[in-house]
Amino acid sequence: MSETATPAKRTGLSAAQLADRITDRSARGISTAMTDLIRAGLLVPGATLPTVRALAGQLGVSAGTVADAWAVLRQHRMISTLGRRGSVVSGPPTVAHPVRFERVGDFGDHLAQDLAVAAPDPALLPPLEEALLAGARTPRLHDYSRTAVTGALLDAVKDTWPFPPEAWLAVGGGFEGVHLLCQALLVPGDRVAVEEPTAARLLDILDALGVRTLPVACDEQGPLPASLDEALAARPALFLHQPRAQTPCGWTLTGQRALELAAVLETAPNVVVLEDDGIGPLAVTPAGSIGTHLPGRTVVVRSYSKAYGPDLRLAVIGGPRDVVEGVRVLRTYGTGWTSRILQDTLAHLLTSPATTARVREASHHYALRREGLARRLAARGVATGNQDGLMLWVPVADESSALVTLAARGVAVSPGSRFCVTSLPPHVRVATARLSEDKTALDEVASLIALAAGTVRDS
């Protein structure tokens, strides 16, 4: 029988048996040989692996060399480390799933109201026909030159930036911008300081890159300087935060808090600051920016999807030249540049007085819906603190019970734990952008959420 037809039992191969199958004894050679064994089925999912020291002894290399190989295998989700139980095989290399973002139940035909997805209301988005026609007249149409940002778009955004960046780049949405920046700035094993709680998709991005997250506590003015100072002791490479309409808490960074955070960061000159402005022009109030004080170390990603439409798939990056250049280089392996048609479409929207008025009106309606539900929840004993944005961060007695209570009535919300690095008091995230402004409808939603939160009893 051939070797590939006799997979190992779940007890795995011994250190000596593995060593016999590894010819290149560098970290890369070890990880490559292990990958081949896993793909061939000689190491099956669940198979136990020898300790790092045992395999190093058989190979005649340092334990650090094997540990480096194990780190590569963990990064590609081929092995898992289970504390004192050691390491086991997970399976062939796979693409990391955004488990927090995808953690939404299947309601089938029973979903009466979706309050889980904080997406804009299509009825409040501006019309695109005229803007798309303007975009189609972009200079250098069909030219294969890679345009970082069109002149029209740059003119439309540069005066709105919190500081004058050295370089600009248009990308395919806010999360793509954050993902590309993290890819350019981080390597597996790096530490990243991030506000706690924060957007689930940001945590998914960091998990997929194999970095360690360092939670930074926040209050209604933004991240706490003392908590950031504590995180800096672990020498992070990056501080990632949202300066306004923060997901999920809805606070906006004040100018004074930005100054205090910048003072703390002065003691850590190698930390890059990434500000994820996910709501852009829809924000009710302008935000403070650490970049006002540390422009050479701060990069801002501003998304325009929620204000002007998700199918534009556009965000703009502005920051230090070397940081933005890293993202530009990464994009050369893929799309290369963002459509000049779409860039100039957005430029037209940003400079149109009628569209600007429409966006302000949309922001007003989103505030009415969010604040209307917040007032009604407060009257029922459920306090929320969101100052801006398309959601409420709702405290509950028990997360699972709240989710079940609402699901039984056909209402979907997001579990709060998906937004957390550590274990925080239980919450659910309630999307408010598509709520009705009808008072009776808002009363009904508030009563259901208060019931789920555990502050009232079902009559």
Side-chain angles (χ1 to χ4, degrees), residues 77-92:
R77 292 161 184 80
M78 288 183 276
I79 69 170
S80 302
T81 300
L82 306 176
R84 293 184 177 180
R85 293 169 55 193
S87 296
V88 299
V89 175
S90 301

Side-chain angles (χ1 to χ4, degrees), residues 17-318:
Q17 289 171 317
L18 277 179
D20 286 343
R21 291 166 167 81
I22 298 172
T23 55
D24 180 350
R25 301 191 172 191
S26 66
R28 177 177 292 184
I30 295 167
S31 64
T32 299
M34 292 291 293
T35 300
D36 290 343
L37 291 170
I38 293 169
R39 280 177 166 155
L42 292 170
L43 288 171
V44 298
T48 58
L49 297 173
T51 66
V52 166
R53 291 190 179 278
L55 182 57
Q58 289 292 330
L59 292 171
V61 300
S62 71
T65 298
V66 176
D68 288 344
W70 258 223
V72 172
L73 297 171
R74 279 194 301 272
Q75 179 189 350
H76 294 284
R77 292 161 184 80
M78 288 183 276
I79 69 170
S80 302
T81 300
L82 306 176
R84 293 184 177 180
R85 293 169 55 193
S87 296
V88 299
V89 175
S90 301
T94 59
V95 175
H97 279 254
V99 292
R100 291 178 177 84
F101 180 65
E102 291 182 346
R103 192 174 140 198
V104 179
D106 183 359
F107 282 70
D109 298 327
H110 305 292
L111 183 61
Q113 192 160 23
D114 186 356
L115 303 181
V117 180
D121 185 343
L124 296 179
L125 293 171
L128 299 182
E129 293 85 352
E130 183 180 330
L132 285 166
L133 288 173
R137 293 192 290 269
T138 183
R140 304 174 72 179
L141 184 65
H142 302 315
D143 191 331
Y144 263 81
S145 60
R146 301 186 175 196
T147 304
V149 62
T150 65
L153 183 54
L154 180 57
D155 288 342
V157 303
K158 63 183 180 182
D159 291 338
T160 69
W161 230 247
F163 59 92
E166 295 176 342
W168 301 85
L169 185 67
V171 293
F175 286 117
E176 180 182 88
V178 171
H179 189 201
L180 288 168
L181 281 162
C182 288
Q183 282 184 294
L185 293 167
L186 303 171
V187 297
D190 271 343
R191 278 81 58 201
V192 175
V194 62
E195 60 207 352
E196 168 86 317
T198 191
R201 292 190 71 181
L202 297 182
L203 294 176
D204 278 335
I205 288 171
L206 297 177
D207 286 347
L209 295 175
V211 301
R212 176 185 164 205
T213 50
L214 307 171
V216 177
C218 304
D219 64 12
E220 68 280 359
Q221 298 181 51
L224 293 168
S227 185
L228 176 61
D229 189 45
E230 183 179 346
L232 293 180
R235 296 179 297 175
L238 183 70
F239 174 39
L240 171 59
H241 77 105
Q242 303 165 73
R244 56 182 175 178
Q246 191 261 5
T247 297
C249 297
W251 48 255
T252 290
L253 184 69
T254 64
Q256 178 61 33
R257 182 59 56 82
L259 175 63
E260 295 167 356
L261 293 170
V264 171
L265 287 160
E266 287 278 13
T267 66
N270 295 322
V271 178
V272 175
V273 178
L274 199 172
E275 297 188 334
D276 173 27
D277 183 5
I279 198 170
L282 277 179
V284 174
T285 56
S289 172
I290 295 171
T292 304
H293 312 285
L294 299 175
R297 294 166 50 191
T298 304
V299 57
V300 173
V301 180
R302 180 173 295 162
S303 172
Y304 295 90
S305 297
K306 290 182 176 64
Y308 298 98
D311 276 320
L312 287 177
R313 309 309 307 145
L314 268 173
V316 175
I317 296 174

